Amino acid sequence: MGRRGGAKRRGTRRARRRRRGAVVTTAPVAAIQRGWQSCEACGLLSRPGADAGACPRCGEELAFRKHRSIERTWAFVIAAAVCYVPANLLPVMVTTTAAGSAPDTIMEGVILLWSPTGWPLSLIVLIASIMIPSAKILALVYLLVTVQRGSVANNAERVRLFRTVELIGRWSMVDVFVDTFTAALVQLQPLMAVEPGPGLLFFAAVVVLTMLAVESFDPRLIWDAAPSEEVVHA
Amino acid sequence: MPEPVELPSSRTVPKKERRPSLVWIVPVVAALAGAWVAVTRVLAEGPTITIDFRSAEGLEAGKTKVRYNGVDVGTMTAIRLSDDHLGVVATVRMEPKTESFLVADTRFWVVRPRISGANISGLGTLISGAYVRMDIGQARDEQRAFVGLETPPIVMRDVPGRSFVLKTSDLGSLDSGTPVFYRRLQVGEVVGYELDPDGSGLTVKAFVQAPYDRYVTSATRFWHASGLDVSMSATGFSVQTQSLMSILIGGIAFETPVAEAALPPAGENTSFLLHRDRAEAFRAPERNPLEVRLVFKQSVRGLAAGAPVEFRGIQVGQVVEVGAEVDVKTLAISVPVKIHLEGARFGVRFTDLDPGDDPTAIRRRLWDSLIAHGVRAQLRSGSLLTGALFVAFDVFPDAAPASIDWNAKPLDFPTVPGALEGLEASLASIVRKIDQLPLQAIGDDVAKALVQLDQTLSSARGALDSAGKLVAPSSPLATELTTTLQEVTRAARAIRVLGDYLERHPEALLRGKSGEAR
Ligand SMILES: [Zn+2]
């Protein structure tokens, strides 16, 4: 509600500016609305031909928007969501000690680390391994749904959300990284050995698939449904 | 808005055929992988069993393993209190394909570090924590609910051998794991023990490993091999023990008498008596003892059931019972000692025995002859230190004539007072006589007599003095007289000293002067 109100307020501010006869070229104009295509590789704007074309400068395939962006993003998001289930249910780490081998899922690791002194680490694992992947998936689903429904609300926030998801993407591998690192380092046979479990594979798949989903999502789609009347005015 | 100038036109490329994007393979593959993992997980799910334990000490849900021969075959998934709150019920998820192990007589027990006298086991669990050990049964019918053992069974089913039942009245230092020796070689262990339902004795279960179990026949004797077996003989001390370990922790030994070694091996769970020591174990069992009552007129303190009955140092029987009897009519109290005589059991052999001879008749003739020749039963002290008594038959030529009434029941044999008893009696009579001596009066009389003697001597000296005046100092008479007088004076002094001494020590009249007084 508040967000909608904020958008409305901004809209009225722009309108006021327009009425005062201020500079209007700052109003956002999408290239697609002009019928231009921008090259994804080199950023060159070009006017498309009758059919699909390629960038005259670098040869990149040109399209108004990323090729089948929504479809591909959906596919990756769904795949990531599918992998998210075994990633959390299967053990990511098998610790073999004299006591025998104990497989630990991510959640078990969080519980294991939870102690008066170890809670920060536990919290990091919880956030990095459980909350962030699910948040990424949910954020992408939200973006996809709003784009598909042609929503015009909170465009700026949604782009910011997308940027955040994109930024986090490369860091969320930290868990896989730590795990494989531990497995490589802790090989004190026969006292103790740590081996990656099958859950780790799925966990890595979740991270990679969400990164791919982010990669295939075209944030310009967020603006495509923006009210054209404002653009026309400008 | 003016259009930017100089925009180049894009090149035209042939349109591609539109079909569903290949990217959809990704979620399909992901779904397939997930499904495959799920299916293998479900298929890999073994049977779930419950095991009742008395305590969950050391057990941890999700961590504690069930092992068989060191291989993990299951994981404890949950532990809860039993419905009656007396124990715990552990739920165990077994590995797949373990169904055939879970039969009616499969046993489970918790392995914790155990330190008993015999062995230290389960040390690994100090690091690893407790685990549940499984011993696979041989039954056919499968089972899912088990009751865990409280103590580990020492005998696994994969160890061949046989267990035997030993009956004993005293557990001694036996415990589960106590070794069983055969010719000082450890061949088995005590598996367990329990008090008989009526509390009268203990049943010890011992396991003897193959191939040693075939040395156990129906004639085999088992005995406590605990501690040291010290025997003293004319050649000195001899110490017998099974092994150093058995000194510390006890043990059971068995042996088969050489004469009976040809018997077939005893069956599983054959019952044996567990004897106190080797000597007792090898003593032939009583077959036909002669029960005899001996009435002693002295204290039987120190005589206990089991004390030996000897004939000139050879054991011919043992004391069975020591009691007391009151004759209601005469109110006379007697202390009858019941003994069993059976020389054959202790190695006494008859020579020139014909198969047709009646052993009872021979025995009667033998004892009639012995009694007629003055053989009597006597209580003797076996050990001056402990005061333990035993019954000895010996020849007393001076004994009053006696005979045996073979029809009496119980059979009475004549007795004579014990050797020590006789000595005591004569000593007592001597002491009594000494007590009756009027030593004080004697001493007084002697003192009086001496005083009189002294006076007599003084007057004698006076007489001699006056006589001396008559005799010239230089004459031989005078010299002789002086010498005599000196002698008399010395005698008088000695008598006074004696009188003084006797006054202080009247008993010196009997014993003579003790050195100190000199
Ligand atoms: Zn280009």
Side-chain angles (χ1 to χ4, degrees), chain A residues 18-77:
Chain A
R18 248 184 273 121
R19 246 177 275 124
R20 270 191 270 123
V23 192
V24 288
T25 46
T26 52
V29 180
I32 193 171
Q33 285 162 334
R34 293 284 181 195
W36 304 334
Q37 290 177 325
S38 72
C39 174
E40 271 188 69
C42 65
L44 180 71
L45 272 176
S46 58
R47 192 184 297 279
D51 223 329
C55 175
R57 185 159 71 188
C58 66
E60 172 86 7
E61 193 182 338
L62 282 180
F64 285 107
R65 291 291 172 259
K66 275 183 186 171
H67 185 58
R68 294 188 177 184
S69 170
I70 292 179
E71 189 188 3
R72 284 161 62 92
T73 312
W74 266 122
F76 286 128
V77 166

Side-chain angles (χ1 to χ4, degrees), chain B residues 284-292 316-317 339-346 350 358-364 367:
Chain B
E286 284 192 331
R287 290 218 177 84
N288 182 23
L290 180 65
E291 188 172 298
V292 172
V316 293
I339 62 168
H340 278 182
L341 291 172
E342 194 180 7
R345 191 177 161 217
F346 301 98
F350 290 96
D358 179 11
T360 315
I362 294 174
R363 187 188 263 164
R364 285 186 178 186
W367 278 106

Side-chain angles (χ1 to χ4, degrees), chain B residues 404-416:
Chain B
I404 303 169
D405 178 10
W406 289 102
N407 295 321
K409 193 133 180 85
L411 208 57
D412 271 312
F413 274 21
T415 63
V416 293

Side-chain angles (χ1 to χ4, degrees), chain A residues 191-214:
Chain A
L191 276 182
M192 192 186 185
V194 174
E195 282 158 30
L200 194 67
L201 216 63
F202 283 96
F203 187 79
V206 169
V207 176
V208 169
L209 286 169
T210 50
M211 283 171 82
L212 284 172
V214 169

